[in-house]
Amino acid sequence: MTGIAQGTGGGAAGTAGTSRTTGTVAGFLAGLPHGTGIGTGAAPGVPPGADAGFAHGSGIARSYGTGTMAGAAANPGRGAVVGTGTVGARRGGAIHGPGSRDPRVQDVQAAFNAARIAMAVVGRDGRVITANRALGTLLGTDPARLADEAAADLVDLGHDARLWAAYGEVLRGGGEPLRCTRPLKGPDGQSLWTEVTLSSLPDRGNALLSVADITDRRDLQARLRHLQMHDPVTRLPNRALFFERLAAALGPDAYARGGTGRIGLCYLDLDGFKAINDTLGHRVGDELLRAVAQRLVHCADQAGYGRRGGHLVARLGGDEFAILVEDSTGTEQVSALAGSVLAALQQPFDLAGQRLSLSASIGVVERVVAGTSATALMQAADTTLYWAKSDGKARWTLFDPERNAHMITRQALSSMLRPAVERGEFTLEYQPLVGLGDGAVRGVEALVRWRHPQFGMLAPNRFIGLAEEDGSIVELGRWVLETACRQARRWQVEHPEAPPVFVSVNVAVRQVWDSDLVADVARILEETGLPPELLQLELTESAVMGSAGRPLQALQALSEMGVSIAIDDFGTGYSNLAYLSRLPVSVLKLDGSFVRGFQDEEHPNPADETIVEAMVHLAHRLGLTVIAECVESADQAERLRRIGCDTGQGWFYSRPVPPDHIPTLLGGT
């Protein structure tokens, strides 16, 4: 429906009005019947189409059927408006008109101006048509002055490309309402935070802008976040904030902002803190943590690293702390920081009338940001901290990729040990034990090998220690014992013409403690048919030193069964000779370190020969036989024979070989 606007002017003749209709707040917001709106009425005698505000004139206009207001650029059918010049308007829009006789229009005008939330009507060109008093108060100006101002400038939308695009979409009548948070300058010059909303007005072609002051709410949120992201004891950033900052330092924005492109981390744990906390109480422990935090912050501030000072000292929990170094310049810088932290924490703490001392173990990681994840960085830091503690504590240790690769390999091997026994991935090789007097093979030592599907053939030193740590040595040792005994019996049966040879099998400490070794040996000997005198069990000095209770009883039972007991690597452990007289030991195996001293024919070490000769004579006086390991030359073998050693073992005679090679050696070579 189109309409002809009629207005009665209360202003002076000649005061310019406008005949263009823009619609009222009532028309914008309430959709009143007849298209009633707020606008300006033209004073008598003023030519239609004039585009100027007026100061005092007011009038009422309504639509009467069809037609168009002469000279008007208004939307057809929207109705004419009630207008006043007290606020001022552009294109005929006014905010309130005391001369309006329509109560609905007056209600809308009053509500708009009395609203506590700041509002303005914005045209398609982005300029303010009308503004209420709350917006003027918020911006510290008369709302009349806001007419025709660019709305985007009032709420600072033009500096954000994303917001600017969304803003234009709303003005064009499409898209979702724009909602954002913007900082503004208040009337007193102080910064305030606002929540800005811009939404299209249906069928009007304009938009409604609202601005809410959320400064108090934002301050409260900031205080709550600070409490949430900081440790209550030390006031340092906590684990959550640390990982948030770490993720940002490793994120894509880190590349855009420039810098060195590197990152460093000092991950530390207090040595001896638990003892202080347990003995002096948690109150003293908390005071100590606060004092430690102060020293860490001081060290970080003194370092002055990073182009933006991008360091973060955080308490990750318990007595664990971290210092994040953004834009590090290399390992030297982060290592120097770790050194200063270590020195600072080693100074005594005077707390609760007591002087307390502690130290720290620090893992240091420094690397390129590209390709690094937070998980990988923290794993490296945790591993390096473990190294620092295992190396003796009170030190810092730098991440070593080679050492880490070795550790990863160990972990992989450890996890696959038990399944490998079940899958039959282990095999035995045998190394001859040769009589030094006649050169005849007296026995063989069974040496286990792991045919690993990924790493190939592995020697015992690659996995035996792991098997002892996780307990799989019991199952593996039982398999080795049974396989070796079965093979020795097979040689005896298949080669009855050859002198019988004994088989020597290594036994770990955990096999003695964690299994019934005596029962296992008895069962295996019975099942395989191997005579007990053809089985020799080798134990290290540490396994038999101080033996009492179950281990001693087991050794005695095995000896009474007819099994020979040998002490492996003799001379490198406790070297306490007292146990030789009370343990059922029948053989000593001299460690290869003594035999290697015989290699230099031109400049032999007389001390080595004297020590070996003394041990051989002592063993013989106790009724023990002696096996020398690592015999690699004829000269070594001859010198060992001269001083009375009974048996030799080493590459001079044979490397460890598969079981089918042993029969060729049984005749003595």
Side-chain angles (χ1 to χ4, degrees), residues 539-548 555 565 567 579 582-583 585:
L539 294 89
T540 62
E541 285 190 41
S542 59
V544 298
M545 179 59 190
S547 292
L555 294 179
I565 306 297
I567 304 299
Y579 66 86
R582 58 186 178 85
L583 292 179
V585 177

Side-chain angles (χ1 to χ4, degrees), residues 177-213:
L178 168 64
R179 293 182 177 87
C180 62
T181 302
R182 303 301 297 165
L184 300 178
K185 282 288 186 182
D188 54 1
Q190 294 185 349
S191 296
L192 53 87
W193 284 93
T194 61
E195 188 173 73
V196 177
T197 303
L198 184 72
S199 55
S200 298
L201 294 174
D203 302 326
R204 283 292 170 185
N206 298 325
L208 179 65
L209 174 72
S210 63
V211 185
D213 185 352

Side-chain angles (χ1 to χ4, degrees), residues 262-267 328 330-339 361-367 380-389 391 395-404:
R262 303 186 68 86
I263 192 168
L265 178 63
C266 293
Y267 184 31
S328 68
T331 56
E332 296 82 2
Q333 181 189 35
V334 186
S335 298
L337 173 62
S361 300
I362 308 175
V364 179
V365 183
E366 201 280 340
R367 59 181 54 176
D382 186 65
T383 297
T384 312
L385 175 59
Y386 170 79
W387 294 344
K389 283 191 169 295
D391 291 345
R395 67 191 66 224
W396 62 266
T397 301
L398 185 65
F399 180 77
D400 182 358
E402 292 185 5
R403 183 175 180 180
N404 185 60

